[in-house]
Amino acid sequence: MKSIWLTIVAGFTTGMGNGSVFTAAFLLAVGRGPFGEAGLWFMDPYDPRTYQGTADWIMFIFGIAFVLILGYALKQHAIIEGLQEE
């Protein structure tokens, strides 16, 4: 795969963008009740036990998933086009 950085950047931005829509729906459905803290200070936004941390981790997971999906799709495309061997 010759374009690894392009795959990572494109996958993360697309995945985290789609993940933000899922995050908004999830947090609206769940509400603020189950979370003890909002998670807005220092490293709290990266703690999945806080409200903001849950949102961030959902988007990270979507980003990683899209990077893997995009990498696989580009590899299969290269195989089909005859640019790479299996």
Side-chain angles (χ1 to χ4, degrees):
M1 183 182 309
K2 295 180 182 180
S3 59
I4 187 73
W5 287 109
L6 182 61
T7 303
I8 291 171
V9 170
F12 255 97
T13 54
T14 303
M16 290 182 80
N18 290 338
S20 69
V21 176
F22 179 82
T23 298
F26 174 77
L27 292 178
L28 284 171
V30 171
R32 174 75 167 77
F35 301 99
E37 295 184 23
L40 301 176
W41 300 100
F42 306 112
M43 293 302 289
D44 287 346
Y46 302 104
D47 182 0
R49 296 171 293 177
T50 65
Y51 188 76
Q52 184 61 43
T54 300
D56 288 344
W57 276 102
I58 290 172
M59 289 190 288
F60 290 149
I61 290 168
F62 269 72
I64 292 167
F66 270 72
V67 167
L68 296 174
I69 292 167
L70 184 59
Y72 180 75
L74 290 175
K75 180 180 178 188
Q76 292 302 315
H77 176 71
I79 290 171
I80 290 171
E81 292 293 324
L83 303 173
Q84 180 179 345
E85 300 211 9
E86 294 180 45

